[in-house]
Amino acid sequence: MSSDTIARLQERLATLNPLHLELEDDSQHHAGHAGARDGGGHYRLTIVAEIFRGRSTLARHRLVYDAAGNLMQGPVHALSIRALAPEEVPHQAR
């Protein structure tokens, strides 16, 4: 199920035109957690996109949550977000 959720989430996040997108299933670290028992996964996202330039962390997270849409109400229980503008990426990671 997690690979399907990751694919669906990646598809939706593509609307933000990411220059880099890394999405990891972190659910195994949350076994027994209420959200995990109900079928929702825990994911870690790193995304770099022009759309984040000049926006606050809260605004960036809202853009991600808006793109994820209803996946946040079922398949995704928790999403750890690192949303960066291109100039915020450490040089060695570019």
Side-chain angles (χ1 to χ4, degrees):
M1 178 175 144
S2 70
S3 63
D4 179 54
T5 300
I6 286 175
R8 291 169 57 202
L9 193 51
Q10 287 174 327
E11 182 179 311
R12 293 193 183 185
L13 293 172
T15 62
L16 300 175
N17 298 312
L19 302 171
H20 174 79
L21 189 147
E22 186 176 329
L23 188 58
E24 298 176 49
D25 185 346
D26 220 14
S27 300
Q28 69 278 7
H29 299 295
H30 301 275
H33 180 273
R37 282 193 307 267
D38 294 338
H42 290 69
Y43 299 89
R44 190 173 348 139
L45 170 68
T46 299
I47 183 169
V48 179
E50 293 285 343
I51 197 167
F52 300 136
R53 189 182 310 266
R55 296 181 190 258
S56 69
T57 299
L58 180 61
R60 294 172 186 200
H61 287 209
R62 283 184 180 149
L63 286 167
V64 169
Y65 286 128
D66 287 348
N70 66 352
L71 290 178
M72 296 302 302
Q73 299 166 358
V76 178
H77 171 72
L79 183 62
S80 171
I81 302 169
R82 184 171 182 230
L84 304 169
E87 66 272 9
E88 297 170 329
V89 177
H91 182 68
Q92 64 274 14
R94 288 185 192 174

